[in-house]
C-alpha cells in the first residue's frame, strides 16, 4: 500500500519526514522551501489517490506562488504532531 492511498498514512509519512529533518538540524526556512518544492512536484506529477489530495492539488493549482508557500507552510504545521514517533 502506498502512503498516498490513505490521507492519514500520508500525514504520518510527512510527519515522520518532518521530524527526521528537524532531528538532523534542518531549519524552518529550509523545511518550508522543501515543502513548497514538493507541493509543486506533487501537483504536476502525481495523481491524487483520494479526495483530500485532490482538494489540495486543486487549491495548489488555483493559488498564486505566495499562496502556494502559505499552503506548504500550513501542511508543515498540520503534520508536526503526526508520524509514527508521536
Amino acid at each position: 500500500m502506498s502512503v498516498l492511498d490513505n490521507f492519514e498514512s500520508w500525514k504520518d509519512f510527512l510527519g515522520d519526514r518532518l521530524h527526521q529533518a528537524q532531528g538532523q538540524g534542518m531549519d524552518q526556512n529550509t523545511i518550508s522551501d522543501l515543502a513548497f518544492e514538493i507541493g509543486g512536484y506533487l501537483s504536476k506529477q502525481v495523481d491524487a489517490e483520494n479526495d483530500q489530495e485532490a482538494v489540495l492539488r486543486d487549491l495548489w493549482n488555483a493559488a498564486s506562488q505566495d499562496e502556494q508557500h502559505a499552503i506548504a507552510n500550513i501542511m508543515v504545521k498540520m503534520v508536526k504532531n503526526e508520524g509514527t514517533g508521536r
Side-chain angles (χ1 to χ4, degrees), residues 41-59:
Y41 172 81
L42 291 173
S43 75
K44 292 180 179 88
Q45 303 296 329
V46 178
D47 291 331
E49 296 287 333
N50 56 54
D51 292 341
Q52 295 92 336
E53 291 169 10
V55 168
L56 284 170
R57 182 201 56 223
D58 291 347
L59 286 170

Side-chain angles (χ1 to χ4, degrees), residues 3-65:
V3 296
L4 294 174
D5 291 340
N6 175 288
F7 195 65
E8 291 304 314
S9 296
W10 175 236
K11 290 191 318 184
D12 282 342
F13 173 80
L14 290 176
D16 287 343
R17 299 297 77 74
L18 174 62
H19 299 144
Q20 183 181 27
Q22 290 171 329
Q24 293 179 352
M26 192 174 290
D27 67 35
Q28 190 60 39
N29 286 336
T30 303
I31 290 170
S32 178
D33 289 344
L34 284 172
F36 173 75
E37 289 180 31
I38 291 167
Y41 172 81
L42 291 173
S43 75
K44 292 180 179 88
Q45 303 296 329
V46 178
D47 291 331
E49 296 287 333
N50 56 54
D51 292 341
Q52 295 92 336
E53 291 169 10
V55 168
L56 284 170
R57 182 201 56 223
D58 291 347
L59 286 170
W60 187 273
N61 290 335
S64 69
Q65 189 171 9

